[in-house]
C-alpha cells in the first residue's frame, strides 16, 4: 500500500464505527483493519497503538461532524431557546434512526468512550474530556445569551451548562440502556424546566439536525 493511500482515513472511520457499535475495549486492531479493508502492517505505518488511532478518530469526528453541526444549530444569530429546543427536539428521531440502522440505540459515541476509558487510557481520556468541554461551551453561550435577554433568571452559565450537559447525556444513556428513543421525547421540556425558563419565553417546537 502506497503512502499516498487513504488508509489512515479508512482506519479512523472504521475505529469510530466499531467503538460506537461495540465498545473501545472489545475492539481489536485486527477488527479495525478488517472493517477498514487495510492490512495490519499499514496500521502501524500510521499509528503506534489503538489509543493513538482513537484520539485521531475522535478529533476527526469533532472537526468534520460535531463542530459544523453545533456551529449551525447554536448560531448566535438564532434566539437562545430556538437553538436549544431545535437541538433537543431532534434527539428522538436521531436515535430512532440509529436503532433502525444498527438494531439498537447507540447513544453518544464520545460519551460512551469517555465512560469506558476514564480510568484507563490517559490520552484517549484527555481528548474526550476536551471535546465534551468544547460541546458544553455551546450550552454556556446559549445560557449566557438567554440570561442577557431576560429569558431565564440570572445564573452562572458554566454551572447551568454543566447541569444541562448532565441531563442530556444522562437521558441519552438511559435511551441506550432501555434501547428506546422515546425516552428522550420529553427532553426539551425537562431542559426548559431545569433552566427555569419563563413560560412566556418558550418557543414553539422545532427540529434540527443533530449528532449525538
Amino acid at each position: 500500500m502506497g503512502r499516498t493511500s487513504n488508509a489512515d482515513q479508512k482506519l479512523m472511520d472504521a475505529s469510530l464505527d466499531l467503538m460506537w457499535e461495540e465498545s473501545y475495549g472489545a475492539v481489536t486492531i485486527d477488527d479495525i483493519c478488517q472493517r477498514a479493508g487495510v492490512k495490519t502492517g499499514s496500521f502501524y505505518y500510521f499509528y503506534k497503538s489503538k489509543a493513538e488511532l482513537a484520539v485521531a478518530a475522535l478529533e476527526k469526528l469533532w472537526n468534520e461532524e460535531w463542530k459544523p453541526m453545533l456551529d449551525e444549530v447554536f448560531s448566535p444569530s438564532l434566539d437562545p431557546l430556538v437553538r436549544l429546543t431545535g437541538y433537543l427536539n431532534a434527539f428522538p428521531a436521531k436515535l430512532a434512526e440509529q436503532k433502525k440502522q444498527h438494531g439498537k440505540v447507540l447513544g453518544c459515541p464520545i460519551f460512551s468512550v469517555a465512560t469506558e476509558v476514564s480510568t484507563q487510557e490517559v490520552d484517549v481520556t484527555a481528548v474526550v474530556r476536551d471535546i465534551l468541554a468544547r460541546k458544553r461551551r455551546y450550552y454556556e453561550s446559549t445560557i449566557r445569551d438567554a440570561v442577557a435577554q431576560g429569558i431565564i433568571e440570572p445564573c452562572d452559565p458554566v454551572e447551568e451548562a454543566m447541569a444541562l450537559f448532565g441531563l442530556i447525556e444522562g437521558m441519552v444513556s438511559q435511551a441506550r440502556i432501555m434501547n428506546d428513543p422515546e425516552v428522550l421525547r420529553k427532553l426539551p421540556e425537562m431542559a426548559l424546566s431545569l433552566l427555569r425558563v419563563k413560560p412566556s419565553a418558550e418557543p414553539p417546537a422545532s427540529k434540527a439536525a443533530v449528532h449525538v
Side-chain angles (χ1 to χ4, degrees):
M1 182 173 292
R3 295 188 179 186
T4 58
S5 75
N6 63 344
D8 59 331
Q9 300 296 313
K10 291 180 179 179
L11 288 166
M12 284 190 283
D13 291 341
S15 67
L16 281 172
D17 289 343
L18 288 170
M19 287 189 296
W20 196 25
E21 294 167 14
E22 305 300 333
S23 72
Y24 177 86
V27 174
T28 67
I29 289 174
D30 286 343
D31 293 333
I32 295 169
C33 291
Q34 184 176 2
R35 173 70 70 92
V38 173
K39 293 180 180 179
T40 305
S42 296
F43 174 96
Y44 288 105
Y45 171 78
F46 294 105
Y47 304 104
K48 296 177 182 178
S49 64
K50 182 175 73 171
E52 185 176 37
L53 169 59
V55 168
L58 292 168
E59 285 287 5
K60 179 177 186 287
L61 176 63
W62 170 262
N63 289 316
E64 295 185 3
E65 294 188 34
W66 277 30
K67 187 178 186 300
M69 178 276 296
L70 290 167
D71 284 345
E72 178 180 355
V73 174
F74 286 92
S75 170
S77 65
L78 299 174
D79 179 87
L81 294 189
V82 170
R83 300 175 217 169
L84 183 60
T85 56
Y87 178 65
L88 298 178
N89 277 320
F91 273 72
K94 185 63 179 179
L95 269 67
E97 180 184 328
Q98 290 178 10
K99 187 173 182 179
K100 181 178 179 180
Q101 182 177 352
H102 300 279
K104 56 187 176 182
V105 173
L106 299 178
C108 170
I110 292 182
F111 194 76
S112 297
V113 172
T115 56
E116 183 182 357
V117 305
S118 60
T119 59
Q120 303 170 24
E121 297 282 7
V122 175
D123 292 341
V124 180
T125 297
V127 76
V128 295
R129 285 176 178 169
D130 188 49
I131 289 173
L132 293 176
R134 296 175 211 168
K135 187 178 182 181
R136 285 197 303 273
R137 284 194 282 273
Y138 287 89
Y139 303 166
E140 290 173 22
S141 64
T142 296
I143 292 168
R144 190 172 287 107
D145 289 348
V147 170
Q149 293 181 25
I151 296 170
I152 63 177
E153 296 298 328
C155 64
D156 183 333
V158 175
E159 290 184 359
E160 290 294 294
M162 182 63 78
L164 179 62
F165 173 82
L167 170 65
I168 295 170
E169 298 299 343
M171 291 300 293
V172 170
S173 295
Q174 281 292 322
R176 180 174 182 175
I177 292 168
M178 302 300 293
N179 198 31
D180 183 6
E182 289 302 307
V183 168
L184 296 167
R185 190 61 63 184
K186 290 188 177 294
L187 182 56
E189 179 182 335
M190 295 167 69
L192 296 182
S193 176
L194 174 71
L195 297 174
R196 300 179 299 281
V197 172
K198 298 176 182 178
S200 60
E202 294 185 15
S206 58
K207 295 183 178 180
V210 62
H211 295 283
V212 297

